[in-house]
Amino acid sequence: VMSRYEAALRALPAVDARRMALSHMTGKRIVEMVHEDLRLSKVLTKKNFENGIVANAAVGGSTNAVVHMLAIAGRAGVDLCLEDFDRVGSQVPCIVNCMPSGKYLIEDLAYAGGLPAVMNRIQHLLHADAPTVFGVPISKYWEDAEVYNDDVIRPLDNPLRAAAGIRVLKGNLAPNGAVIKPSAASEHLLVHEGPAYVFETIEDLKAKIDDPDLPVTEDTILVLKGCGPKGYPGMAEVGNMPIPRRLVEKGVRDMVRVSDARMSGTAFGTVVLHVSASTQ
């Protein structure tokens, strides 16, 4: 029988019958927290945000974690910045062999032991004393957690990728930063030089991307502008631009792409996202 701590973190699939039990446990715990005066502000600490950055790297999690965690931290008054993702998470190994970084599905992760098992394997990288909604330190969540499939949750000496956390990039295109998810990128494209083809808007991209006369090759860097918070608007998940049809037909499956947009955590590709030239 799962402990209540492990159940809360197992990432059970949506169709799993235990989801109903988990929802009841959640509601019961929220009522208990009210009586205990255990407010969210007491749980949203810098240590927990840093644990989140580490865990996101270990599972090959989404670049969307950056915008969401920074927004939550801002509301909570926690001093979290873009550079923290590089400092805390960039060298963390990806040990979860799930799509898009690996080959398995999230339900396989759940049945292999879930997040408690992942946390157990990376516990030396986590703040064990970080507070939780159960009123116990987070180390309780991974106590006695087992891995039931070493190919889904890899040992530290056999990671999917050795240093796979989200990287923060800066340069003349992104003086205020950009991000890339190495675990979802093609290794041979992480160092790349080539001509750029720029799409000024999302409408421009949609109109031209499958044009057989589009002057691009597999070495071209595709750039999409105007899709950040103020552009599209709303910073839509369009950063993983499609590969031009002409190149797909030739077998090309990845190209370097650069955008101020974001992309889905289920997407694969060597994509630089969240390009920021201004903090205004």
Side-chain angles (χ1 to χ4, degrees):
V1 179
M2 290 187 293
S3 72
R4 61 178 180 171
Y5 308 117
E6 186 177 357
L9 286 178
R10 192 175 265 276
L12 294 168
V15 296
D16 193 299
R18 286 172 291 180
R19 274 278 176 192
M20 184 64 75
L22 189 57
S23 67
H24 282 287
M25 291 166 61
T26 302
K28 181 179 179 181
R29 181 58 197 148
I30 289 171
V31 173
E32 293 171 350
M33 288 172 65
V34 172
H35 290 295
E36 295 169 13
D37 195 29
L38 180 52
R39 306 176 188 185
L40 195 58
S41 58
K42 297 178 181 179
V43 177
L44 291 176
T45 64
K46 183 68 175 283
K47 286 183 177 181
N48 271 321
F49 281 103
E50 291 187 347
N51 282 349
I53 292 172
V54 171
N56 188 65
V59 302
S62 174
T63 49
N64 282 314
V66 176
V67 290
H68 294 315
M69 289 177 69
L70 288 176
I72 295 169
R75 288 294 185 93
V78 175
D79 181 22
L80 189 72
C81 63
L82 184 61
E83 286 68 27
D84 287 325
F85 287 82
D86 219 31
R87 176 181 60 83
V88 176
S90 63
Q91 297 304 307
V92 174
C94 178
I95 61 172
V96 172
N97 188 11
C98 285
M99 296 179 182
S101 304
K103 66 179 182 179
Y104 293 100
L105 302 174
I106 284 295
E107 65 181 286
D108 296 307
L109 169 60
Y111 301 140
L115 197 53
V118 175
M119 294 168 74
N120 189 299
R121 287 206 158 157
I122 60 169
Q123 60 182 277
H124 62 292
L125 301 174
L126 299 169
H127 298 292
D129 60 342
T132 68
V133 295
F134 282 116
V136 298
I138 200 164
S139 58
K140 286 286 185 181
Y141 284 66
W142 67 67
E143 274 187 2
D144 303 320
E146 295 182 51
V147 174
Y148 302 106
N149 187 328
D150 275 330
D151 195 36
V152 178
I153 303 175
R154 298 280 191 89
L156 289 173
D157 60 1
N158 183 33
L160 197 64
R161 188 166 292 192
I166 290 168
R167 300 291 181 93
V168 176
L169 310 176
K170 289 191 175 182
N172 62 333
L173 291 182
N176 285 303
V179 299
I180 188 171
K181 178 180 172 180
S183 66
S186 299
E187 191 81 33
H188 71 282
L189 290 176
L190 290 177
V191 177
H192 181 75
E193 183 176 339
Y197 187 90
V198 179
F199 298 99
E200 292 293 332
T201 64
I202 187 66
E203 290 78 17
D204 187 31
L205 179 142
K206 290 178 178 178
K208 295 178 180 177
I209 193 66
D210 288 331
D211 185 339
D213 296 322
L214 190 70
V216 299
T217 71
E218 62 184 286
D219 293 322
T220 302
I221 298 167
L222 302 180
V223 179
L224 174 61
K225 296 167 60 178
C227 291
K230 293 184 179 181
Y232 193 22
M235 203 176 183
E237 292 185 336
V238 294
N240 55 324
M241 293 163 259
I243 306 298
R245 180 180 297 175
R246 175 168 53 84
L247 298 181
V248 171
E249 291 172 348
K250 291 181 178 180
V252 177
R253 294 295 178 264
D254 194 13
M255 296 172 68
V256 177
R257 285 154 282 176
V258 180
S259 174
D260 54 356
R262 59 193 182 103
M263 77 177 187
S264 167
T266 62
F268 172 85
T270 310
V271 189
V272 177
L273 301 154
H274 309 184
V275 169
S276 176
S278 173
T279 56
Q280 301 301 312

